[in-house]
Amino acid sequence: MHLTLQQLRLFEAVSRHGSYTRAAEELHLTQPAVSIQIKRLETQTGLPLFEQIGKKIFPTAAGKAMYAASLDILGRVEDLKNTVEELKGVVKGTLQVSVVTTAKYFMPHLLGMFLQKYPDVEPKLKFTNRAGVMERLMNNEDDFVIMGQVPEDGDLEAYPFLNNILGIVAPADHPLAKKKKITLKALTKERFLKRERESGTRYVFDKMLEDKGLHIEPYMELGSSEALKQGVMAGLGIAFLSLHSVQLEREAGKLTVLDVEGFPLKRRWYAVHSKGRKLSLVARTFLDYILTESHHVLNVEYE
Ligand code: PGA
């Protein structure tokens, strides 16, 4: 077989998207150009790689084997590229980091400043909730991940950096807004908007309630901090949120943090990777940057 890396790249994109058109868009090629290359690959393999059922294409057994091999080969080439740059002492190459959705309020800013210093780094930031980040961590898909609640697993290396302060957020004109030392028990009567079950924020809140023998049934379950915030501003209820996510709305006088006994909670943000993982120069440099510079760069201290 005389496969080229370009063919494997095209094949990987077609398989991932399940579509020639979408793969062509991603790679800035025409759809016929992609089809021709895949046809050539099939000729070289001597077997069809995709079969068409209705409007969709599905990988054949040979296609599945080719997909696994292409991920492997392309991953190795990427590693090689990074190793060569590392040997040259240049901070250059891919940086793959997964970030819990709540950290999207500060991670892009950190990355932006980092890229000003190291413009040759090719960043790939993936935002998903805690469950999604954990899955990627277990599959070793990233250089490292950013999360709030690190699983108690001896095989992980976790580096704390910024504080993550979490509180009960309400509209600024809420009847409890001026009240001092509200008990958690009193709050159980309020309408609560909660994040989805897979969220780290939700996990912290539910765990805290459970430890106190309390339970709050969500009035509504919403899939992101952004949706919770909008819901709170719309007067649908109150919510437990990281204060990173409501900084602008608090400054604008739209939202307030209630004075509830035991709150706000002070947690930390962590950069996490599996113990055995050898970080590339790019990943090590970014990790060092986060650990040493995040306070200066973000200029927030939520103490
Ligand atoms: P989340 O995670 O964005 O899934 O709520 C936050 C966290 O891990 O603290």
Side-chain angles (χ1 to χ4, degrees):
M1 271 190 235
H2 297 287
L3 311 178
T4 67
L5 283 177
Q6 173 68 351
Q7 282 174 334
L8 288 183
R9 279 197 189 98
L10 296 184
F11 174 79
E12 188 278 327
V14 174
S15 305
R16 183 161 34 85
H17 288 295
S19 154
Y20 290 97
T21 315
R22 297 238 297 276
E25 273 165 22
E26 178 185 304
L27 298 164
H28 309 291
L29 293 168
T30 62
Q31 198 261 358
V34 174
S35 305
I36 289 168
Q37 288 300 330
I38 300 293
K39 277 270 157 311
R40 279 200 191 136
L41 204 54
E42 288 183 322
T43 311
Q44 279 155 4
T45 315
L47 283 171
L49 298 171
F50 295 109
E51 58 187 346
Q52 180 126 15
I53 302 174
K55 282 198 169 137
K56 288 192 158 180
I57 55 163
F58 295 89
T60 59
K64 283 182 190 157
M66 180 73 78
Y67 185 57
S70 67
L71 289 183
D72 206 18
I73 294 165
L74 295 173
R76 296 288 295 270
V77 171
E78 199 60 41
D79 287 350
L80 175 64
K81 218 170 86 187
N82 289 341
T83 307
V84 169
E85 295 303 345
E86 190 163 340
L87 288 172
K88 290 185 200 158
V90 185
V91 182
K92 184 175 178 181
T94 43
L95 171 69
Q96 176 80 51
V97 178
S98 278
V99 180
V100 285
T101 47
T102 308
K104 73 169 173 235
Y105 295 95
F106 60 87
M107 278 309 287
H109 300 282
L110 269 179
L111 181 67
M113 295 301 284
F114 177 74
L115 291 175
Q116 278 186 19
K117 213 166 158 199
Y118 300 103
D120 292 331
V121 170
E122 295 160 41
K124 290 185 184 156
L125 231 54
K126 166 117 188 132
F127 290 97
T128 173
N129 62 23
R130 179 173 187 261
V133 167
M134 294 246 287
E135 193 181 325
R136 292 181 61 89
L137 185 61
M138 294 313 147
N139 294 335
N140 222 355
E141 289 179 66
D142 301 291
D143 289 315
F144 57 85
V145 306
I146 303 293
M147 64 197 315
Q149 328 308 321
V150 183
E152 283 169 21
D153 179 335
D155 280 343
L156 296 175
E157 205 78 73
Y159 309 85
F161 57 109
L162 286 179
N163 285 338
N164 179 20
I165 309 294
L166 301 117
I168 310 287
V169 175
D173 58 359
H174 192 277
L176 293 177
K178 297 229 153 44
K179 226 168 159 231
K180 296 269 168 249
K181 297 199 167 31
I182 306 161
T183 64
L184 195 49
K185 190 128 206 304
L187 269 197
T188 55
K189 297 192 190 72
E190 292 293 318
R191 281 181 173 175
F192 259 89
L193 311 181
K194 281 193 183 181
R195 286 279 305 273
E196 74 283 11
R197 284 177 193 281
E198 297 77 16
S199 142
T201 311
R202 162 102 180 233
Y203 171 82
V204 176
F205 189 47
D206 283 353
K207 179 89 176 55
M208 181 191 183
L209 292 172
E210 191 188 314
D211 290 348
K212 293 191 183 303
L214 296 169
H215 174 76
I216 294 177
E217 194 56 35
Y219 172 63
M220 274 172 87
E221 217 171 77
L222 299 168
S224 69
S225 298
E226 208 51 37
L228 284 191
K229 227 164 67 173
Q230 296 299 333
V232 173
M233 286 195 282
L236 296 176
I238 60 176
F240 176 71
L241 280 165
S242 165
L243 300 193
H244 285 292
S245 63
V246 291
Q247 193 187 354
L248 292 178
E249 289 75 9
R250 285 175 76 197
E251 281 167 15
K254 303 248 180 232
L255 290 176
T256 189
V257 180
L258 298 182
D259 182 6
V260 182
E261 277 177 4
F263 288 85
L265 299 188
K266 185 170 160 185
R267 319 280 300 206
R268 304 278 278 164
W269 289 111
Y270 297 87
V272 185
H273 62 76
S274 54
K275 265 206 171 118
R277 182 151 188 125
K278 190 181 168 302
L279 294 188
S280 66
L281 179 62
V282 171
R284 266 194 336 260
T285 311
F286 187 47
L287 181 58
D288 281 350
Y289 186 82
I290 291 175
L291 300 185
T292 56
E293 299 298 323
S294 45
H295 285 275
H296 314 295
V297 170
L298 295 171
N299 209 10
V300 285
E301 203 22 84
Y302 299 122
E303 290 295 352

